[in-house]
Amino acid sequence: MAQSSDNLKTLAPTLATPPSASGPYTYSIFVGMAKVDADTDLQGVEGDISLVVEELGARTTKTLYVITDVPLQTNGDRTLVLPPTLQCLKSTIEEVGKVLGPRDSCQIYLGGHIEIENEEKSFMALPGGERLYGNVLATWLKDAASRGGSIVALVDVCHSTTFLKMPIAYDINADGLLHYPNGGAREPQGREGQVIVISSTKCGQLARTIEISEGKYAGWHGFFTWVFFDYLQKHPGSVDTAGLLLYLRKHCSYHPEKPSPQISATATGLRQLPIFQPSA
């Protein structure tokens, strides 16, 4: 069942210090496709809308774009609900890229159903039979960051690193320190910004849901999404890359299927991440 739009009418900031409106600027894009087929909806995607849109709204100084197949409406002054089409998503990313300057950031959330064609190609199903291919999305994001901004994508889907990843993988060694298994990978010269992808699963793993029994967001949620925003609530301010990855993996490992979150980026050495907050 589609979630009631009433849950989205009040987007009260949840940060101790709301983001500055004077810059650097933060843009947000929520992409949530709950419909798998005529008879199946993803409960986690539906349940996450109110949580994620409110969290993004609290961290957005410019426009929050909401692209979803779940009918809803919002009263936020800076929130724009758009049709769930491939062209709409492409145009939105391009629009943000044109104004995303150095020290600005764009936070993107993606939830939906993923189909794998082969080891190199997978796509998110959109209404009307359209397909959002991960390799195409990666190109859009890199182009949008090319003027010097930072883009952080939170991807809570099955096989998420198969769907979307950047060239350089981040990992934790035995001493709890960051290292880069393929640190020799490099982006072509001329790209000034950075793209960071925080993924719920590695290749071959399914994204998991969790049922929250009480509180403001009682209902079904993406397990990874819930853990991620729990981390942000407990660790305000700058986000330590190693600390975030360790926290995500530790808490996601409590699930019987043990999904393994991943971080990848277009550059090494990102010890502090502009994750879902204005850049410093």
Side-chain angles (χ1 to χ4, degrees):
M1 298 294 290
Q3 183 165 328
S4 169
S5 62
D6 292 342
N7 293 332
L8 294 172
K9 288 184 178 179
T10 303
L11 301 180
T14 56
L15 295 180
T17 304
S20 168
S22 61
Y25 298 116
T26 303
Y27 302 80
S28 297
I29 303 172
F30 174 90
V31 181
M33 302 298 158
K35 184 68 68 176
V36 177
D37 54 43
D39 302 315
T40 309
D41 289 345
L42 298 176
Q43 291 178 303
V45 173
E46 289 187 339
D48 281 336
I49 292 179
S50 57
L51 166 66
V52 178
V53 169
E54 183 166 328
E55 290 289 343
L56 294 185
R59 295 166 167 83
T60 302
T61 62
K62 286 296 187 177
T63 305
L64 165 58
Y65 302 89
V66 179
I67 301 174
T68 180
D69 59 359
V70 178
L72 56 87
Q73 63 184 55
T74 69
N75 288 339
D77 292 338
R78 296 192 303 269
T79 302
L80 182 61
V81 180
L82 300 171
T85 66
L86 191 64
Q87 183 59 53
C88 183
L89 177 57
K90 180 177 186 291
S91 298
T92 299
I93 294 173
E94 289 176 343
E95 179 179 332
V96 171
K98 290 177 181 178
V99 295
L100 196 68
R103 299 181 67 234
D104 293 338
S105 62
C106 177
Q107 51 201 15
I108 299 178
Y109 177 90
L110 294 119
H113 176 66
I114 300 299
E115 292 281 353
I116 297 179
E117 288 191 351
N118 53 51
E119 293 184 359
E120 300 297 328
K121 295 181 66 176
S122 60
F123 63 88
M124 177 183 289
L126 303 181
E130 288 191 315
R131 298 178 174 184
L132 172 62
Y133 280 93
N135 60 334
V136 174
L137 175 61
T139 298
W140 294 349
L141 297 180
K142 292 173 188 176
D143 288 346
S146 63
R147 295 177 65 248
S150 296
I151 294 179
V152 181
L154 184 68
V155 186
D156 194 357
V157 301
C158 298
H159 317 290
S160 57
T161 52
T162 304
F163 173 64
L164 183 65
K165 63 179 179 293
M166 292 296 120
I168 299 172
Y170 280 52
D171 210 341
I172 306 294
N173 64 20
D175 297 320
L177 302 175
L178 281 176
H179 76 111
Y180 317 100
N182 61 341
R186 289 290 184 269
E187 281 295 292
Q189 295 297 314
R191 296 188 186 279
E192 301 298 331
Q194 59 191 11
V195 180
I196 303 149
V197 178
I198 307 144
S199 306
S200 60
T201 60
K202 60 184 180 182
C203 181
Q205 291 186 318
L206 303 180
R208 302 296 171 175
T209 57
I210 183 174
E211 186 176 15
I212 303 302
S213 59
E214 59 184 22
K216 182 177 182 179
Y217 299 112
W220 289 96
H221 293 278
F223 184 41
F224 169 78
T225 297
W226 188 264
V227 172
F228 176 84
F229 284 108
D230 182 63
Y231 177 89
L232 291 192
Q233 292 291 343
K234 293 177 178 177
H235 301 82
S238 299
V239 175
D240 178 78
T241 309
L244 171 66
L245 189 54
L246 284 168
Y247 187 92
L248 292 173
R249 289 183 174 175
K250 174 184 176 181
H251 287 270
C252 287
S253 71
Y254 296 152
H255 192 282
E257 299 300 326
K258 300 186 181 305
S260 179
Q262 309 288 314
I263 293 179
S264 62
T266 52
T268 59
L270 300 176
R271 299 185 181 279
Q272 302 287 328
L273 300 181
I275 295 177
F276 287 68
Q277 61 180 330
S279 302

